[in-house]
Amino acid sequence: MLDFVFHNPTKIIFGKGKISKLGEEIVPYSRRILLVYGEGSIKRNGIYYQVVDILKESGIEYKELSGVKPNPRLDSVREGIKLCREHSLDMVLAVGGGSVIDCAKIIAAGFFYDGDPWDFFTRKAKIEKALPIGAVLTLAATGSEMNGNAVISNDETKAKKGVGSSHLLPKFSILDPLLTCTVPPLQTAAGVADIMSHVFEQYFSANEGAYLQDRIAESVLKTCIHYAPIALKEPENYEARANLMWASTIALNGILSTGKLTDWATHMIEHEVSALYDIAHGVGLAILIPYWMEYVLDEQTVGKFAAYAINVWGVTGNNEWEMAKEGIGKTRAFFKALGLPSRLNEVGIQREDLEIMAEKAVTDEELGRFKKLNRQDVLSILKNAF
Ligand code: NZQ
Ligand code: ZN
């Protein structure tokens, strides 16, 4: 296990009806906030009205930024920064999934930066400061509710890039599983694929010895495997929604990456797919993961894949290669059973764009750490997944 520092100050308020705590969580930071949300799901399911009632009762003034798209756009970030400046707002509250939270994070950081917020993503500028950020999570997937990452898409350059900073950690996140009961089946499944892929990126790591982290990782995966089909069959099953919600947070709040050299190749590849085609991040991942697994399976990695097959899927046998392949096959079958697509061409991707995706994904010499991939490797994975 490698040395590490773990510091995650985000306060999690978890449970049924916990949205009622929103006012008291905001007031220590602000009485003038920007309320950020997406394309209307919170109005359709009523969460919006709960939020604004609480804000009014708590004497919190607010302006709204609505219409944040899945794969949130830089334009929304710019608009949010403008609103904060014009109205002297000093906190950003996100009510939504990862896209809304990520957008809120960069608004909060961009507020203090004179240049264009895209500079954070091109590494032209560093995030030095941010307004306080709060979140009401409505979709279990990204872990953005308890991490310092944000991913933004730039329509002008067709790029989708991420940035990480401790300044982007939300002050608090309210995790009320009831709020996720209205997430549609495909989005629920995509969220599960995203959670599982976050675990894979950290579980399949370049160093050994983080035994504890691996066992936690396997438990998060088993939680997804157990509860995803239940949430799809019974969307209002509280236990299923609660377990998936907490799995999403645990999968990417830094715990699983402690002491590890993590991979993240599949994410880098997927971001190029959803940058060009605007598909749901989790859908792209569900397609790519089994192909990445097959591609990186070799003499060096077979042991870890066999352990995955045994500990997560209960595969038995005495041939490591067979068990490893069975584990990968079960992963693919699981995503399919959740109703997720398994080929890039099923989601409208054109073969002629694969090369550009591979080129953009591998900006340095190599991608990933579990197994290093060059541009040609990435292109092969994309072609296999096509
Ligand atoms: O637009 P609204 O109306 O909010 O509807 C959303 C959207 O259409 C809908 N939805 C959310 N909660 C709902 C609901 N519909 C019904 N009932 C509810 N309770 O679901 C759709 C997808 O929402 P989105 O926020 O885009 O999904 P997700 O949470 O999967 O976020 C995806 C974004 O996060 C990035 C992805 O790349 C993508 O841009 N990621 C962020 C990460 C991070 N910050 O740590 C890490 C991830 O790996 C990922 O890259
Ligand atoms: Zn992800």
Side-chain angles (χ1 to χ4, degrees):
M1 196 192 299
L2 306 175
D3 299 348
F4 63 86
V5 174
F6 178 72
H7 177 76
N8 191 322
T10 299
K11 177 176 177 183
I12 298 293
I13 303 115
F14 189 102
K16 239 178 231 179
K18 286 289 184 277
I19 195 168
S20 63
K21 301 282 175 201
L22 184 60
E24 64 197 77
E25 292 301 328
I26 294 174
V27 163
Y29 300 102
S30 168
R31 291 215 175 247
R32 288 180 69 78
I33 68 164
L34 180 70
L35 166 61
V36 183
Y37 57 97
E39 295 188 298
S41 68
I42 67 164
K43 287 203 169 158
R44 290 189 291 278
N45 58 26
I47 297 171
Y48 170 84
Y49 303 99
Q50 285 178 272
V51 169
V52 297
D53 282 351
I54 293 170
L55 295 179
K56 285 175 189 158
E57 280 162 21
S58 313
I60 298 163
E61 289 180 47
Y62 63 93
K63 295 284 168 200
E64 297 186 17
L65 174 71
S66 61
V68 174
K69 289 186 174 9
N71 300 320
R73 307 304 205 274
L74 185 59
D75 284 346
S76 291
V77 173
R78 290 177 181 143
E79 201 183 325
I81 295 170
K82 204 164 148 242
L83 283 169
C84 287
R85 289 181 180 154
E86 272 174 15
H87 299 280
S88 308
L89 309 175
D90 55 12
M91 179 169 192
V92 189
L93 175 70
V95 182
S99 295
V100 170
I101 301 176
D102 286 4
C103 180
K105 285 176 173 178
I106 303 302
I107 293 169
F111 178 83
F112 291 108
Y113 177 62
D114 285 340
D116 189 74
W118 190 245
D119 293 349
F120 299 139
F121 297 88
T122 57
R123 309 295 184 254
K124 195 176 150 197
K126 204 168 166 245
I127 294 173
E128 307 279 4
K129 213 175 161 187
L131 292 172
I133 300 151
V136 176
L137 183 66
T138 66
L139 195 170
T142 64
S144 188
E145 63 275 13
M146 199 181 180
N147 70 40
N149 306 329
V151 183
I152 299 292
S153 294
N154 181 338
D155 277 339
E156 292 144 38
T157 58
K158 284 276 169 213
K160 177 175 178 177
K161 287 179 182 284
V163 69
S165 163
S166 59
H167 300 292
L168 300 183
L169 280 155
K171 297 291 180 205
F172 67 84
S173 285
I174 295 180
L175 272 55
D176 180 346
L178 289 176
L179 304 187
T180 65
C181 291
T182 54
V183 177
L186 184 67
Q187 206 63 55
T188 299
V192 169
D194 193 23
I195 299 168
M196 291 177 72
S197 86
H198 295 156
V199 179
F200 294 142
E201 303 278 17
Q202 301 168 94
Y203 179 79
F204 294 107
S205 59
N207 62 303
E208 291 298 318
Y211 181 93
L212 172 64
Q213 291 87 322
D214 280 355
R215 301 297 83 76
I216 302 173
E218 287 161 357
S219 299
V220 177
L221 293 170
K222 283 157 92 170
T223 300
C224 291
I225 293 162
H226 180 72
Y227 282 110
I230 299 174
L232 289 182
K233 215 167 140 218
E234 304 163 32
E236 301 200 359
N237 186 307
Y238 182 79
E239 189 181 306
R241 293 294 189 180
N243 277 277
L244 291 175
M245 195 169 214
W246 193 221
S248 111
T249 310
I250 299 286
L252 202 53
N253 70 351
I255 285 274
L256 296 186
S257 61
T258 53
K260 288 200 155 207
L261 290 169
T262 53
D263 193 79
W264 296 105
T266 318
H267 264 71
M268 299 308 280
I269 304 171
E270 194 295 319
H271 282 172
E272 296 311 331
V273 177
S274 53
L276 227 54
Y277 281 92
D278 200 21
I279 62 169
H281 172 61
V283 167
L285 290 167
I287 297 170
L288 291 169
I289 289 164
Y291 292 99
W292 171 84
M293 287 180 165
E294 277 168 354
Y295 195 84
V296 303
L297 176 64
D298 66 13
E299 288 292 340
Q300 265 84 50
T301 63
V302 66
K304 189 72 184 238
F305 277 111
Y308 162 65
I310 296 164
N311 297 338
V312 175
W313 293 103
V315 169
T316 54
N318 38 32
N319 181 314
E320 265 194 337
W321 280 91
E322 280 173 15
M323 288 192 288
K325 285 181 186 161
E326 197 177 332
I328 296 171
K330 283 187 181 290
T331 312
R332 172 173 283 133
F334 177 70
F335 290 147
K336 217 167 174 190
L338 295 185
L340 290 160
S342 48
R343 292 271 181 191
L344 292 174
N345 64 16
E346 278 176 57
V347 292
I349 281 140
Q350 302 291 313
R351 188 179 265 280
E352 59 264 28
D353 288 325
L354 302 183
E355 264 187 57
I356 181 144
M357 289 174 192
E359 197 161 303
K360 286 170 81 181
V362 191
T363 43
D364 297 326
E365 295 266 289
E366 283 165 334
L367 200 62
R369 291 202 187 108
F370 181 60
K371 176 149 177 190
K372 292 192 163 66
L373 303 172
N374 61 29
R375 217 160 270 166
Q376 206 47 48
D377 295 321
V378 171
L379 184 58
S380 300
I381 292 171
L382 285 164
K383 280 184 176 165
N384 293 347
F386 186 77

